[in-house]
Amino acid sequence: MLLAQIHLTLPVWVHDVVDASAVHASDADKVALAITLSKHNIDARTGGPFGAVVFGPTDRVVAIGVNRVLPQNCSLAHAETMAYMLAQQRLQRARLNENADGQRDGRYTLATSAQPCCQCYGATVWAGIDRLLIGARSEDVMELTEFDEGPLPADWVGELNKRGIEVVRDLHRDAARAVLRAYGEQGGDRY
Amino acid sequence: MLLAQIHLTLPVWVHDVVDASAVHASDADKVALAITLSKHNIDARTGGPFGAVVFGPTDRVVAIGVNRVLPQNCSLAHAETMAYMLAQQRLQRARLNENADGQRDGRYTLATSAQPCCQCYGATVWAGIDRLLIGARSEDVMELTEFDEGPLPADWVGELNKRGIEVVRDLHRDAARAVLRAYGEQGGDRY
């Protein structure tokens, strides 16, 4: 039996938490929403303690993602990758900031509750974003949870900068750490 | 409008090309199938020139993947990531070589027609494979196509070895290069 279809979903609660018409003007506002999603995800036990949001040129939500690895048996289903796939599907573009002719068209931002792991780092290179906004640092993730962040290039920020992606860190870092800590205290990664 | 579902598919021709009951005993046999898939994908114009296969403990196909980035508007839909997601869905495990109790259970191999890019490299760290078999090198991809491979850790093989993943390269490299060359001569990446 050869499977030929993949189907991934977000939890149903996302529709109650996210207002797609709201403007999230500042970098901090954007990461705050990603952290809110990470908190809902552990409270509802619908995945790991990570949330991410793609914002478009008008500072409104294009798509959101939360970690769905264990509920959906899919190691690809991290918060950032879910957000990228859903944003690309909504815009019908494989690179968010390029139109069908390969021309730059609009500025897109990913806000994430914690520094992308090695997989989401690589996905960020191809997704077509202009800015990456980060809450918790990878050392916070490794201190407060059992998650490994995986191997990155030594100058991971510089490699993104070279490809036109600006990186801003430590936005609401304490709030992001609090969600990671709460998750660790719940007893780990078995959902 | 907030999207909450992702649906990705393989091309319909895969059912005619892959015999899920066949044994692919050697490393070279395994990569040969991945290269065959990459060739079919460009001949059918169903994606970029990349194929990958997850093999299980009995050397039979668990799942296959081909590049579906442009047909499905999804930068995550590389050959390796499609194969990982489909294999995990079939086995209902987020890590292929771990059972529900987190214990090692079986040895899994990814064979890929070309060296994984930065995204698929990161995905390989989490997918739960024991061996990574590679056809073309990343310099072949960059010489013969317009694809960038992205930033990797300096010792990318060693970082996989440290995590229990063996890497074997240059399997049917010439055949893999021939598919990349044919793709470049077709005129590039616009499908």
Side-chain angles (χ1 to χ4, degrees):
Chain A
M1 181 189 64
L2 196 65
L3 294 187
Q5 303 197 41
I6 296 155
H7 188 220
L8 299 171
T9 61
L10 294 179
V12 290
W13 55 255
V14 299
H15 298 288
D16 301 324
V17 172
V18 179
D19 175 0
S21 67
V23 172
H24 300 258
S26 72
D27 289 354
D29 285 350
K30 291 182 174 71
V31 171
L33 179 57
I35 296 169
T36 296
L37 292 168
S38 71
K39 181 69 166 62
H40 275 270
N41 208 37
I42 64 169
D43 288 349
R45 299 188 178 258
T46 44
F50 304 103
V53 187
V54 171
F55 291 93
T58 63
D59 293 327
R60 290 181 176 82
V61 173
V62 177
I64 71 112
V66 291
N67 177 290
R68 297 287 280 160
V69 170
L70 291 176
Q72 309 223 314
N73 293 308
C74 182
S75 66
L76 271 291
H78 287 201
E80 299 93 327
T81 46
M82 292 292 288
Y84 289 145
M85 288 191 279
L86 287 162
Q88 291 164 352
Q89 187 178 348
R90 178 169 171 184
L91 300 182
Q92 290 288 294
R93 295 177 174 184
R95 282 200 189 231
L96 293 167
N97 58 8
E98 285 185 12
N99 65 22
D101 299 323
Q103 304 301 307
R104 284 298 174 96
D105 178 30
R107 284 173 62 79
Y108 290 82
T109 298
L110 184 85
T112 177
S113 63
Q115 184 187 320
C117 76
C118 56
Q119 166 177 286
C120 296
Y121 177 78
T124 295
V125 174
W126 310 135
I129 63 163
D130 302 282
R131 307 186 71 223
L132 174 63
L133 312 178
I134 300 172
R137 292 190 170 225
S138 93
E139 53 260 42
D140 300 329
V141 174
M142 292 191 280
E143 172 195 335
L144 298 167
T145 75
E146 293 176 2
F147 292 105
D148 182 10
E149 288 280 271
L152 293 178
D155 182 17
W156 65 271
V157 171
E159 292 287 352
L160 292 177
N161 294 161
K162 273 198 268 183
R163 290 163 174 85
I165 301 170
E166 179 190 3
V167 179
V168 183
R169 292 197 273 180
D170 297 336
L171 295 158
H172 289 306
R173 182 179 174 187
D174 287 345
R177 281 179 56 90
V179 176
L180 296 172
R181 186 179 295 110
Y183 177 79
E185 290 170 357
Q186 276 184 6
D189 65 356
R190 293 289 89 196
Y191 59 85
Chain B
M1 181 188 64
L2 196 66
L3 293 186
Q5 302 198 42
I6 296 155
H7 189 221
L8 298 171
T9 61
L10 293 180
V12 289
W13 56 255
V14 299
H15 298 288
D16 301 323
V17 171
V18 179
D19 176 359
S21 67
V23 172
H24 300 259
S26 73
D27 289 353
D29 285 351
K30 291 181 175 71
V31 171
L33 179 57
I35 296 170
T36 296
L37 292 168
S38 73
K39 180 70 166 62
H40 275 271
N41 208 37
I42 65 168
D43 288 348
R45 298 187 180 260
T46 44
F50 304 103
V53 187
V54 172
F55 291 94
T58 64
D59 293 326
R60 289 181 176 83
V61 173
V62 177
I64 71 115
V66 291
N67 177 291
R68 297 286 281 159
V69 170
L70 291 176
Q72 308 223 314
N73 294 308
C74 182
S75 65
L76 270 291
H78 287 202
E80 298 94 328
T81 47
M82 293 292 287
Y84 289 144
M85 288 191 278
L86 287 162
Q88 291 165 350
Q89 187 178 349
R90 178 169 170 185
L91 300 182
Q92 290 288 295
R93 295 177 174 183
R95 283 200 190 231
L96 293 168
N97 59 7
E98 286 184 12
N99 65 23
D101 298 323
Q103 304 301 308
R104 283 297 173 95
D105 178 28
R107 284 173 61 80
Y108 289 83
T109 298
L110 184 85
T112 177
S113 64
Q115 184 187 319
C117 76
C118 56
Q119 167 176 286
C120 297
Y121 176 78
T124 295
V125 174
W126 310 135
I129 63 163
D130 302 282
R131 306 185 71 223
L132 174 63
L133 312 178
I134 300 173
R137 291 188 171 228
S138 91
E139 52 260 42
D140 300 329
V141 175
M142 291 191 279
E143 172 196 335
L144 298 167
T145 75
E146 294 175 2
F147 292 105
D148 182 9
E149 289 279 271
L152 293 178
D155 182 17
W156 65 270
V157 171
E159 293 286 353
L160 292 178
N161 294 162
K162 272 198 269 182
R163 289 162 176 85
I165 302 170
E166 179 190 4
V167 178
V168 183
R169 292 196 274 181
D170 297 336
L171 295 158
H172 289 307
R173 181 178 176 187
D174 287 345
R177 280 179 55 91
V179 177
L180 296 172
R181 185 180 295 109
Y183 176 79
E185 290 170 0
Q186 275 185 7
D189 65 357
R190 294 286 89 195
Y191 59 84

